[in-house]
Amino acid sequence: MEHWIYTTTILGHSFSFNLDTIFTMWFAMICLIVFAFIATRRLSVVPGKLQAFCEKIMGFFWGTMDTMIPERNKQHVPLVASLFLFILFANLMGQLPLRIIHIKQGELASPTNDINLTAAMAVIVLIYYLGAGIMKKGPKFFLHDFSFTSIVMALVELLEMVTRPLSLAIRLFANVFAGEILISIALGACAYFAPLPIMLFEILVAFIQATVFMMLTIAYIGSATGEEH
């Protein structure tokens, strides 16, 4: 379960990179980009099987956005859909055949079992919903007036904004990492049958965690852009 760490020196400072996470992350992104290119290459009024399947997926995102953010939600769909699809595919990589490719330094497991990746996605969400709130409300997004009560509430809300991405990152990382540890233990106990129930359960967890990350992202955007913020 150890990462393949590469350390180098840049401008006199030492930097470490988890190469297994970088490789699997880029593999997930490339697969999604290729799939999106194939799915959108020949769009038609009468959809084929692939186009109909993709339209159902996008309909799921549109329906979720309409339910949680009824007004002005179109601009948020690309971010929400990208996060969900990437997290889902990345989570599933821990159960798919890519995992059996062993390298000298370890294995190519799910990239979401690295806290650095989940934290980076959480920071992206933080920057996005802060930017959306500021663009809609301006300075009032942070402070309604200069009264003592407003200043205290602004500080409390600022603390909450900082802890939100932390909870997003830890929740996704902990669930994926714990699942892969359980599978590794089961493989050590009985390599043929014991891991199967856990792997099937982790496939369900992969969908659940992607959905939870997406739903919380939508909720944060809605709270930042809503009138009652």
Side-chain angles (χ1 to χ4, degrees):
M1 300 299 294
E2 294 183 359
H3 289 288
W4 177 11
I5 300 177
Y6 174 76
T7 303
T8 186
T9 302
I10 302 177
L11 299 177
H13 297 278
S14 180
F15 293 90
S16 297
F17 302 91
N18 293 344
L19 293 185
D20 57 325
T21 301
I22 294 175
F23 290 154
T24 52
M25 175 187 69
W26 276 98
F27 179 77
M29 289 191 295
I30 290 172
C31 288
L32 289 175
I33 291 172
V34 171
F35 176 77
F37 175 77
I38 296 174
T40 58
R41 186 175 56 174
R42 295 180 180 178
L43 298 178
S44 62
V45 178
V46 180
K49 293 182 179 180
L50 179 59
Q51 182 178 339
F53 173 73
C54 294
E55 288 179 356
K56 287 185 178 295
I57 294 177
M58 294 307 299
F60 164 71
F61 297 125
W62 283 108
T64 305
M65 293 294 296
D66 287 334
T67 301
M68 300 186 67
I69 310 178
E71 298 179 358
R72 296 184 179 182
N73 54 30
K74 295 182 180 179
Q75 67 269 30
H76 308 308
V77 172
L79 173 73
V80 171
S82 299
L83 284 173
F84 177 88
L85 294 174
F86 173 77
I87 293 172
L88 176 60
F89 192 84
N91 289 348
L92 291 175
M93 287 176 62
Q95 319 303 325
L96 295 178
L98 184 62
R99 184 169 180 172
I100 67 175
I101 302 176
H102 289 273
I103 56 179
K104 183 179 180 181
Q105 293 79 3
E107 62 182 15
L108 298 176
S110 170
T112 46
N113 77 350
D114 190 338
I115 188 65
N116 297 288
L117 176 61
T118 59
M121 291 191 295
V123 170
I124 291 173
V125 172
L126 171 66
I127 295 174
Y128 184 89
Y129 78 73
L130 287 179
I134 293 172
M135 288 181 62
K136 183 172 182 180
K137 301 179 180 179
K140 291 185 178 180
F141 175 73
F142 293 103
L143 192 64
H144 297 283
D145 53 59
F146 288 96
S147 65
F148 176 77
T149 303
S150 296
I151 294 174
V152 172
M153 291 301 298
L155 293 175
V156 172
E157 290 182 0
L158 181 62
L159 178 61
E160 182 183 0
M161 292 175 189
V162 173
T163 56
R164 280 177 178 176
L166 179 63
S167 65
L168 276 176
I170 294 178
R171 180 185 293 105
L172 178 58
F173 160 74
N175 281 278
V176 175
F177 186 65
E180 296 199 347
I181 289 178
L182 288 175
I183 294 174
S184 299
I185 294 173
L187 285 170
C190 179
Y192 294 101
F193 300 107
L196 291 179
I198 302 176
M199 293 179 71
L200 292 174
F201 177 73
E202 286 303 312
I203 293 176
L204 176 62
V205 171
F207 281 89
I208 293 174
Q209 290 304 315
T211 303
V212 169
F213 199 101
M214 177 192 70
M215 299 290 280
L216 289 176
T217 299
I218 297 174
Y220 297 159
I221 295 173
S223 65
T225 58
E227 296 298 333
E228 297 181 358
H229 174 72

